[in-house]
Amino acid sequence: MISNIFGKSPNKEELTRAKLLNGYSNDFVQWDGDAYDNATGRNCIDTIARHAGKLHPKHIIRKNGVIVKNADSKLQYILSVRPNWLMTSSEFIEKIVAQYYCYNNLFVYIQRDMNGNIIALWPLNFNNLELYEDKGGNLYCRFTFGTGEQATVPYDEMIHIRRHFNRDDVFGDPEGNVLKEDINLLAAVKVAVINVVKNFHKLRGIIQWTGTVRPEDQESMWQKFVDSFAGPSNGSGIGSLDNRGKFQQLTTDTQTFETGQMQFARDNLYKYFGVSEAIVSGNYTEDQFQAFYESVISPIAIKLSQEFTEKLFTPKERGFGNEVVFEANRIAYMSTASKVKLAQAMIPAGAIKRNEIRELFGYAGLPGTEGDEIVVSLNYVKTTDQTKYQTGEEPTQSKGGENTDD
């Protein structure tokens, strides 16, 4: 599979370790700070990835800042339907966004045929990455995968997007200890709650013997009491003890974390990933989702659009206006009342088609050209056409200087 995707790697002897501005520290090891193995952390990442999976990647051509057409090409099929033979477009986006938040870096390899045409896009999950360069200063990525096999590809053939891009010259900063403290705090809260549940039905106390009892008899009588109280054959929760011993229960107030402390531990992770409890649970309002989209989804869409455009097209193709944009139908998340207001505002001005109106409310489009007709209200006309609209006649205009007498 590696050879089929990456082809033949460059000669290792022609490459040397890349020297960056911060020296030769150019290795990258994916480590997520155990965020994806934590239930709250995974919920946050999965929520962002699922909503990002609704983005619509499009190959467009833009002239003078105006989209002149949506390109109908094989690339569009790869972007919007099947990036590779293993996954759909939405699964592809969800995967790369999850990697983006787990590792603060995402890598997508651009597979091309012999003619340089794009045939697939592959998100990469690897154990280690090393940067190399050739004599011309071109950068290469050497990936080591879980099987131990390696593949070396030019950096220009990689879509690479970073988060927390600060200290390193190439890679986004790993989570490291930033998330470790919050995850450990949340884990400690859960362990405390589990221990309380386990100890809730346990009987704690001491047996006071009324007379002198040999040690071996004490152990035997103690075991019989324990078995009678908590043995597998006793479902009543009632134990028995003869008059040689007296049981005295010990009661202690078990201290645990309060609900507010549990919420505090969760909120630390929510804030880190830019989500709220309402967004994670799916119980959000229109305004809450709008804030989530603007602060989380929109920045991801911008990064994806810029990097895909840069790496998928040549400078000449970009010069002709070729772009990749990741769009989201934010109207779909509006309330019905907001959709009605939007339609009422756009219909009179002739700014919306019939199929667009039907799509707005979740209905299938009309067949043929009827659905592409623009709907407009006749209550709005040009000021010069008012007389014709009201009387059906052309407005009369008197010519200046003419004698109207017979």
Side-chain angles (χ1 to χ4, degrees):
M1 184 174 180
I2 290 179
S3 61
N4 290 336
I5 294 175
F6 296 100
K8 185 179 179 180
S9 297
N11 190 348
K12 296 182 179 180
E13 297 179 356
E14 298 178 357
L15 303 178
T16 58
R17 296 279 291 187
K19 183 177 182 180
L20 306 175
L21 294 178
N22 60 357
Y24 287 97
S25 179
N26 48 19
D27 288 359
F28 175 71
V29 179
Q30 294 190 140
W31 185 76
D32 61 355
D34 298 328
Y36 205 65
D37 294 330
N38 178 273
T40 302
R42 180 171 295 196
N43 286 338
C44 294
I45 296 172
D46 181 65
T47 298
I48 299 172
R50 281 187 290 107
H51 286 291
K54 301 175 185 177
L55 293 171
H56 306 291
K58 290 184 179 180
H59 174 202
I60 65 169
I61 297 177
R62 193 189 303 269
K63 296 291 185 181
N64 298 323
V66 179
I67 299 176
V68 295
K69 68 175 181 178
N70 293 326
D72 184 12
S73 62
K74 184 178 179 180
L75 177 59
Q76 180 58 47
Y77 177 83
I78 293 175
L79 290 171
S80 61
V81 181
R82 206 77 181 176
N84 58 70
W85 59 272
L86 281 178
M87 59 193 71
T88 64
S89 177
S90 60
E91 291 170 340
F92 170 81
I93 297 175
E94 288 182 16
K95 186 177 181 68
I96 62 176
V97 171
Q99 292 178 342
Y100 175 74
Y101 275 93
C102 282
Y103 313 123
N104 285 343
N105 291 269
L106 73 87
F107 293 89
V108 177
Y109 174 65
I110 307 169
Q111 184 182 6
R112 302 178 185 268
D113 60 17
M114 297 296 294
N115 298 321
N117 299 316
I118 298 172
I119 58 177
L121 300 172
W122 294 97
L124 300 183
N125 196 7
F126 51 89
N127 289 350
N128 185 56
L129 185 157
E130 301 170 278
L131 292 180
Y132 285 81
E133 61 183 352
D134 58 19
K135 295 180 180 179
N138 299 308
L139 206 58
Y140 289 80
C141 299
R142 179 173 296 171
F143 296 96
T144 303
F145 299 98
T147 59
E149 296 189 62
Q150 293 182 331
T152 304
V153 295
Y155 184 77
D156 289 342
E157 295 180 9
M158 299 294 309
I159 292 173
H160 180 202
I161 298 178
R162 298 152 285 204
R163 181 170 176 256
H164 296 168
F165 184 33
N166 180 23
R167 297 172 181 169
D168 199 277
D169 292 336
V170 178
F171 308 112
D173 291 348
E175 307 298 358
N177 295 326
V178 176
L179 275 183
K180 189 175 182 180
E181 293 180 356
D182 293 331
I183 291 175
N184 289 342
L185 173 61
L186 187 58
V189 173
K190 291 182 178 180
V191 169
V193 173
I194 291 173
N195 289 336
V196 170
V197 174
K198 286 182 177 179
N199 297 326
F200 183 75
H201 295 291
K202 288 184 178 180
L203 182 65
R204 300 174 57 188
I206 59 175
I207 297 177
Q208 182 179 1
W209 305 107
T210 57
T212 303
V213 181
R214 293 182 302 176
E216 56 270 21
D217 292 337
Q218 290 183 19
E219 183 176 355
S220 175
M221 295 171 62
W222 168 81
Q223 187 63 49
K224 288 181 179 180
F225 171 72
V226 172
D227 292 341
S228 68
F229 180 82
S233 61
N234 183 14
S236 64
I238 300 175
S240 63
L241 190 65
D242 61 24
N243 58 3
R244 286 179 294 176
K246 182 179 179 181
F247 178 75
Q248 181 179 355
Q249 183 177 358
L250 298 178
T251 59
T252 57
D253 294 332
T254 303
Q255 299 295 326
T256 182
F257 288 91
E258 299 178 355
T259 305
Q261 293 171 315
M262 172 72 81
Q263 190 62 42
F264 171 78
R266 284 180 179 157
D267 284 345
N268 285 344
L269 288 179
Y270 288 159
K271 292 175 182 178
Y272 182 84
F273 289 106
V275 298
S276 64
E277 186 174 359
I279 295 295
V280 172
S281 64
N283 188 28
Y284 49 80
T285 64
E286 182 181 336
D287 291 337
Q288 287 173 330
F289 183 84
Q290 183 69 20
F292 167 69
Y293 175 86
E294 294 295 341
S295 60
V296 178
I297 302 299
S298 181
I300 297 176
I302 292 173
K303 286 186 176 182
L304 291 174
S305 300
Q306 293 175 344
E307 181 70 357
F308 271 67
T309 298
E310 176 68 23
K311 294 298 179 65
L312 296 186
F313 300 113
T314 63
K316 183 178 180 180
E317 290 172 333
R318 293 195 299 270
F320 281 106
N322 287 277
E323 293 183 24
V324 173
V325 293
F326 285 75
E327 300 177 338
N329 184 8
R330 284 180 287 171
I331 297 176
Y333 310 113
M334 287 184 176
S335 63
T336 302
S338 297
K339 292 178 181 179
V340 170
K341 291 180 180 179
L342 179 64
Q344 290 175 341
M346 299 184 71
I347 290 175
I352 192 169
K353 299 178 181 179
R354 288 188 176 185
N355 278 349
E356 291 174 336
I357 298 174
R358 295 178 64 85
E359 182 184 358
L360 188 62
F361 293 95
Y363 295 103
L366 298 173
T369 60
E370 183 180 1
D372 292 330
E373 294 177 352
I374 294 179
V375 181
V376 64
S377 173
L378 292 179
N379 292 324
Y380 295 84
V381 297
K382 296 180 181 179
T383 56
T384 57
D385 295 338
Q386 292 182 65
T387 302
K388 181 178 180 181
Y389 173 69
Q390 294 173 347
T391 65
E393 299 177 356
E394 294 287 348
T396 59
Q397 295 180 355
S398 60
K399 297 181 179 179
E402 292 186 352
N403 187 1
T404 57
D405 295 338
D406 293 335

